[in-house]
Amino acid sequence: MMKWKRIIALLLSALLCVSLLGACSQPEQETEEEPLATLHNDGREVVLVLGVLQPDDRRTAVLTEIAEKYQADFPNTNIEIRAFSGESELENALKAGEVDIGEINSGHQVALVQEGALADIYPYMTVWKESATLTQAARTAVGSMGLLHTYLIPNDFVQELLYYRLDWFEEYNADKEIRDYVNCRTWNEISGGVNAYGDPVTGAIDRLGDRGLLAFAGRDRLGFYFDAIVWSSLNQSRLADPGAAYYSLAAEGKSIFSTEKASAGADQFLHVMTMALEGTTDWTTDQAIQAFQEGKAGLLLAPRAISETLRETMPEGSWAMGAFPRGLSGTASFSPEYFVGWGVSSKAKEEEIAVHFLTFLSNADNNTHYAKECGTLPIHLEASALEESLTEGNLATEIEMAGRGDWYRYAVPPAMYQAYEGFREQQEEKLRRFIAGELSKEDLLNWLDEYWNTAYEKEGKLW
């Protein structure tokens, strides 16, 4: 009897481990018994300088309003909002300790971290309760230098979405059964291919002809699309870290590029590129938008901001905005084009109080209010419940994507490696040769695999 009780107890313990998403199998990631840091404002006299990039009157007013709310609770903390006309000016002030919290473009994050200009605020994130409600995009931005590091808390994202000719799709679907509708939710539905079960999928171009062609800004962006399609062919749980997404969880220090899933993703990338509108692999965003406006393409990959241009130049009801396409895994995993976030100076005199205010600025209530007034993408999952108007207009698609974290995931390349410097240029050149048939898939993947395995051997684990 005691033996059966022990067996039952062990089974219950195993089930508990499963319910905790594998926590029992990863003891190194278990919660610390004691918090890594405290996150308080003890009420002493403090002046915090918030450096803001090129703010307009509305954004300044919103930030002032949030600062005044904080100062009402902590009257001994004086928050000064200081405007900067350029990124280099603000970054120099951040490095000098003249700014405690600065607004930073993600493209500058790595250099600032390597120069020691930004504080790693990850310990404070472990005790910030509202970090649990961050969206997938925000979580990836927070961990973009590795899951155990945080240098920025985002306040907006620029990411690609899929625009499509709604009138053309509706015209085609009008006399069809639902199962025969033309859609553009996945790469297969756009370019055609084979699904995860081996069944053929007819793409938009095969159904709509030239009306189903895809346009995008391919100049210097082929690496972005290759990464996205390859990552979307793997389950994201197979990545070692979303902030170093060229590395595999399966083997320490080994890249994802030797896997069968990556090979399938490379095949799909090539198919998408060859089925896209001729010339688009060399185009700028403006050229791709023009092709869509002129009816040369029925599909367009571009950021949220271009929707205003389309409203002004195209008939109402002729186009619609959709989510970034999903891949062979059934999910989409891709990088934002860039994000903007708040970073704390490594020379901040009152680091804990600076982070305490930053988490107040970034909490669900304040960030949602900021998003509504400034037209930015909120970073908390409950934003749409706090402000229903966000589910309409320009942000509607991205809000919907945020609510489907099972479908829309984010990853970024390991930009913290020295090997990343100059990598994109080499990758672009090889991808162009791959598309042109001058480089085999095997040679491309072998080069990527060796490149990042060597980077790990030389530089170690940096995430």
Side-chain angles (χ1 to χ4, degrees):
M1 189 67 170
M2 291 297 293
K3 180 180 179 181
W4 281 107
K5 288 182 178 180
R6 179 174 177 79
I7 291 172
I8 291 169
L10 289 171
L11 287 171
L12 289 173
S13 176
L15 288 171
L16 179 60
C17 286
V18 171
S19 70
L20 292 175
L21 301 177
C24 293
S25 65
Q26 299 182 35
E28 70 279 6
Q29 296 182 10
E30 289 179 359
T31 304
E32 299 278 345
E33 291 185 5
E34 295 294 332
L36 297 180
T38 58
L39 186 54
H40 301 112
N41 184 333
D42 60 10
R44 63 177 174 271
E45 294 277 352
V46 171
V47 176
L48 294 180
V49 179
L50 180 70
V52 185
L53 277 173
Q54 301 176 333
D56 54 31
D57 292 343
R58 184 59 196 154
R59 199 154 74 98
T60 300
V62 172
L63 291 171
T64 300
E65 178 186 348
I66 294 171
E68 288 174 348
K69 283 170 58 180
Y70 185 83
Q71 289 169 156
D73 292 331
F74 301 96
N76 288 334
T77 300
N78 180 40
I79 298 168
E80 176 189 337
I81 297 174
R82 189 179 300 174
F84 290 84
S85 58
E87 293 176 342
S88 60
E89 182 187 2
L90 173 51
E91 289 169 11
N92 287 335
L94 196 74
K95 294 174 189 177
E98 297 167 6
V99 164
D100 297 284
I101 301 170
E103 192 172 23
I104 304 297
N105 184 308
S106 61
H108 296 200
Q109 177 183 210
V110 173
L112 289 170
V113 170
Q114 290 174 343
E115 292 170 17
L118 295 177
D120 186 350
I121 63 171
Y122 172 76
Y124 301 105
M125 298 298 288
T126 66
V127 292
W128 182 36
K129 293 180 180 179
E130 291 201 44
S131 65
T133 67
L134 293 174
T135 63
Q136 289 284 353
R139 286 175 181 271
T140 303
V142 163
S144 55
M145 295 290 286
L147 287 175
L148 301 182
H149 302 279
T150 298
Y151 294 95
L152 295 179
I153 297 181
N155 63 34
D156 197 15
F157 297 83
V158 173
Q159 58 186 353
E160 290 204 352
L161 303 167
L162 183 68
Y163 297 84
Y164 61 97
R165 285 296 300 263
L166 178 63
D167 51 354
W168 294 351
F169 276 67
E170 287 183 336
E171 179 185 338
Y172 179 90
N173 291 334
D175 59 351
K176 305 292 190 302
E177 299 290 335
I178 293 178
R179 65 176 179 271
D180 296 321
Y181 278 6
V182 61
N183 288 300
C184 51
R185 300 162 298 188
T186 69
W187 292 112
N188 272 342
E189 288 178 342
I190 291 171
S191 64
V194 177
N195 65 20
Y197 304 101
D199 301 320
V201 178
T202 304
I205 187 171
D206 290 320
R207 293 175 183 266
L208 299 177
D210 289 349
R211 287 182 165 190
L213 289 169
L214 171 68
F216 52 85
R219 185 181 299 179
D220 302 323
R221 293 276 291 161
L222 294 182
F224 163 81
Y225 294 114
F226 180 81
D227 288 352
I229 293 175
V230 168
W231 288 332
S232 300
S233 300
L234 291 87
N235 290 315
Q236 195 174 45
S237 61
R238 307 315 300 159
L239 302 179
D241 190 308
Y246 290 164
Y247 288 106
S248 170
L249 183 66
E252 177 76 18
K254 300 300 180 182
S255 89
I256 61 173
F257 297 111
S258 63
T259 64
E260 291 183 10
K261 298 291 187 182
S263 178
D267 286 334
Q268 186 170 62
F269 167 81
L270 181 60
H271 190 60
V272 170
M273 294 297 115
T274 55
M275 296 291 281
L277 183 60
E278 185 177 357
T280 195
T281 55
D282 294 308
W283 282 355
T284 63
T285 299
D286 287 342
Q287 289 174 298
I289 293 169
Q290 184 177 353
F292 186 72
Q293 291 169 317
E294 294 176 351
K296 295 177 181 177
L299 298 154
L300 169 69
L301 286 163
R304 174 202 323 149
I306 70 106
S307 59
E308 296 297 336
T309 300
L310 298 184
R311 283 193 187 90
E312 294 171 0
T313 58
M314 297 181 69
E316 184 176 355
S318 65
W319 61 276
M321 182 194 297
F324 193 82
R326 289 181 278 127
L328 296 174
S329 68
T331 65
S333 185
F334 63 105
S335 300
E337 190 169 332
Y338 68 88
F339 60 88
V340 179
W342 303 109
V344 176
S345 170
S346 59
K347 293 187 177 180
K349 296 180 179 63
E350 299 289 352
E351 183 178 278
E352 182 175 351
I353 294 176
V355 178
H356 189 264
F357 169 68
L358 175 53
T359 57
F360 179 82
L361 172 62
S362 303
N363 70 26
D365 285 334
N366 290 324
N367 177 261
T368 300
H369 176 59
Y370 180 90
K372 176 190 175 184
E373 298 297 330
C374 303
T376 58
L377 185 65
I379 66 173
H380 289 275
L381 291 168
E382 66 263 47
S384 58
L386 293 171
E387 183 50 65
E388 291 186 9
S389 67
L390 292 174
T391 61
E392 303 170 355
N394 284 1
L395 292 170
T397 297
E398 290 168 278
I399 294 288
E400 184 178 349
M401 289 169 63
R404 290 304 308 260
D406 55 334
W407 278 1
Y408 303 104
R409 311 297 293 270
Y410 295 82
V412 292
M416 68 285 287
Y417 279 79
Q418 291 182 8
Y420 189 72
E421 185 175 349
F423 166 73
R424 280 301 195 197
E425 291 77 9
Q426 296 179 66
Q427 183 192 34
E428 289 286 322
E429 184 269 334
K430 292 187 181 297
L431 289 174
R432 291 190 181 280
R433 291 177 57 204
F434 177 48
I435 294 169
E438 299 168 0
L439 183 70
S440 70
K441 177 182 69 173
E442 291 72 23
D443 286 343
L444 171 65
L445 293 174
N446 285 339
W447 176 77
L448 288 165
D449 189 48
E450 291 176 10
Y451 190 99
W452 288 104
N453 290 345
T454 300
Y456 188 93
E457 290 170 5
K458 289 182 177 179
E459 301 182 47
K461 183 177 179 180
L462 300 183
W463 66 87

